[in-house]
Each structure stands twice: as C-alpha cells, then as structure tokens.
Amino acid sequence: MDFEQHLERAHQVLLKKGFSGAAINPIIYRLARKVGIKLPPPQFAHFGANILAGTLWFGTLWGVIMWFMQWQSLGVSLSYAVNASLITGMFFGLLMAIWYRISAKRKSVPSWQSLAN
C-alpha cells in the first residue's frame, strides 16, 4: 500500500472515530505533505514528530508576530527573539503532542502500521 492509500485509510478511520476534518489534517501536516514529507495524521504520528511540527509552525508564526508587533519597537535582539520563539514553540509543540496522544488513546485509534494490513 502506498503512502497516499495509507493516509486515506487513516483519515477514514479517524472520521469514524469521531475526529473532525481539521483535527485529522491540520494545515502544517498538509503543508509538510505538499513539500514531500510523508507525515501521517497527528493521531498516528510519532510523539517527537508532533512536537517538531508544533514547534516549527507555532514558534515561527508567534515569533514573526511578536517581532513586528512589539519586539522590534522595543529593540529586542534577534537572538533573544529566536530563543523566545523556539522555547514558546517547543512548549506549544509538547502540549499539542500530548493532546494528540491522549485523544488517540481515548478514542482507541489503532497504530499506523496496523492500517497497512
């Protein structure tokens, strides 16, 4: 089974389990797939992959917003802005990874590997 078929089956399983369309296919995961990264839905992804995805998108978005809305006018150094964005993104990524893991367990989501059978 190729990745696209596997992904489609995973989406069907998650919809049957009661997850919403936005929960099973967040924008960062869609963007990752568009650039060629074969990332399963977050309920099936590895904990570390969910942390990384959350860190990258949230840390970057939050950092850019903070830079233009506050930090630039306050004269905040670029190294401080990058570090603050990274730490904030990691915190968000960790919380989201925990949320995805808990929601998958609560709704008895099977493993990614078991869907290939």
Side-chain angles (χ1 to χ4, degrees), residues 14-108:
L14 291 171
L15 288 172
K16 286 179 186 174
K17 295 277 184 182
F19 288 95
S20 71
I24 66 173
N25 204 14
I27 191 164
I28 192 66
Y29 290 78
R30 289 191 308 251
L31 291 173
R33 288 185 210 114
K34 282 190 187 279
V35 297
I37 301 170
K38 294 181 178 178
L39 191 61
Q43 294 81 4
F44 290 102
H46 292 286
F47 193 76
N50 284 333
I51 292 173
L52 183 62
T55 299
L56 289 176
W57 86 263
F58 187 81
T60 302
L61 181 65
W62 184 80
V64 168
I65 290 170
M66 288 298 293
W67 179 259
F68 288 110
M69 294 199 61
Q70 191 172 27
W71 289 340
Q72 189 177 24
S73 64
L74 293 175
V76 170
S77 71
L78 187 58
S79 64
Y80 174 86
V82 169
N83 286 333
S85 299
L86 183 61
I87 290 168
T88 302
M90 286 173 41
F91 182 69
F92 177 83
L94 178 63
L95 290 177
M96 290 306 297
I98 291 169
W99 172 256
Y100 288 134
R101 175 70 51 95
I102 289 171
S103 65
K105 283 187 183 218
R106 188 179 324 135
K107 294 189 179 191
S108 302

